[in-house]
């Protein structure tokens, strides 16, 4: 198999894996929360459902993402990526996305953490936070005020 054919196959597989992300990935629905508002949003998921967290990139002020904390028995972090701004303006560093899959019943708080790389002795700061409850099939799918479904 030549390099061009191998590259084509890898590109197709990459595309197909990305398509699964927006259709729920593991067969469940996808919840989309935009975290640019005030407060700590909450959402409820069923096992197998996907949670997409979207937020402004914190690069203004020199911040970088330093991780996410959550209960790995309840959620799994599947993907993280950033996108540059569509119309660049000073202080706009684009958008960041975190995708989680609900694994089993329970509750956890997802904390997205940031830090400045030159502040080596400082603990990461909590940038955004979301309360997540994963319930059984009879549980509500999400709080209507906090989430919108992508189909």
């Amino acid at each position: 198999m030549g390099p061009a054919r191998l590259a084509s196959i890898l590109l197709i597989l990459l595309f197909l894996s990305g398509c699964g992300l927006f259709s729920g990935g593991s067969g469940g629905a996808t919840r989309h929360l935009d975290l640019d508002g005030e407060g700590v949003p909450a959402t409820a998921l069923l096992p197998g459902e996907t949670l997409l967290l979207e937020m402004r990139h914190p690069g203004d002020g020199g911040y970088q993402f330093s991780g996410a904390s959550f209960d790995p028995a309840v959620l799994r972090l599947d993907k993280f990526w950033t996108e540059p701004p569509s119309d660049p303006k000073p202080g706009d560093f684009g958008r960041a996305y975190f995708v989680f899959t609900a694994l089993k019943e329970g509750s956890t708080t997802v904390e997205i953490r940031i830090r400045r790389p030159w502040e080596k002795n400082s603990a990461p700061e909590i940038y955004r936070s979301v309360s997540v409850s994963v319930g059984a099939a009879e549980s509500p799918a999400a709080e209507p005020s906090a989430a919108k479904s992508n189909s």
Side-chain angles (χ1 to χ4, degrees):
M1 181 181 302
R5 182 166 172 83
L6 182 60
S8 297
I9 291 171
L10 289 174
L11 186 60
I12 290 169
L13 289 174
L14 182 62
F15 174 76
L16 292 175
S17 67
C19 290
L21 168 68
F22 294 104
S23 65
S26 60
T30 298
R31 302 266 165 243
H32 177 200
L33 291 178
D34 186 326
L35 301 183
D36 288 337
E38 296 295 318
V40 178
T43 192
L45 302 169
L46 299 176
E49 288 186 321
T50 303
L51 176 63
L52 170 63
L53 301 180
E54 176 183 353
M55 65 204 73
R56 183 182 67 79
H57 191 290
D60 192 24
Y63 286 97
Q64 297 176 348
F65 288 104
S66 68
S69 63
F70 55 93
D71 183 347
V74 177
L75 294 176
R76 177 183 67 226
L77 177 60
D78 293 324
K79 193 170 186 179
F80 164 74
W81 77 97
T82 60
E83 292 181 0
S86 57
D87 183 24
K89 295 184 173 99
D92 184 358
F93 287 80
R95 309 290 294 164
Y97 303 87
F98 291 79
V99 178
F100 296 87
T101 297
L103 299 175
K104 69 174 198 168
E105 290 185 45
S107 60
T108 187
T109 299
V110 176
E111 294 177 341
I112 307 298
R113 298 175 183 273
I114 59 172
R115 73 177 319 150
R116 290 179 173 130
W118 62 86
E119 295 177 346
K120 305 228 183 282
N121 296 326
S122 297
E125 299 175 31
I126 297 172
Y127 178 59
R128 298 288 188 263
S129 182
V130 178
S131 296
V132 180
S133 176
V134 178
E138 62 271 9
S139 298
E143 295 180 15
S145 62
K148 58 185 177 184
S149 284
N150 287 342
S151 296

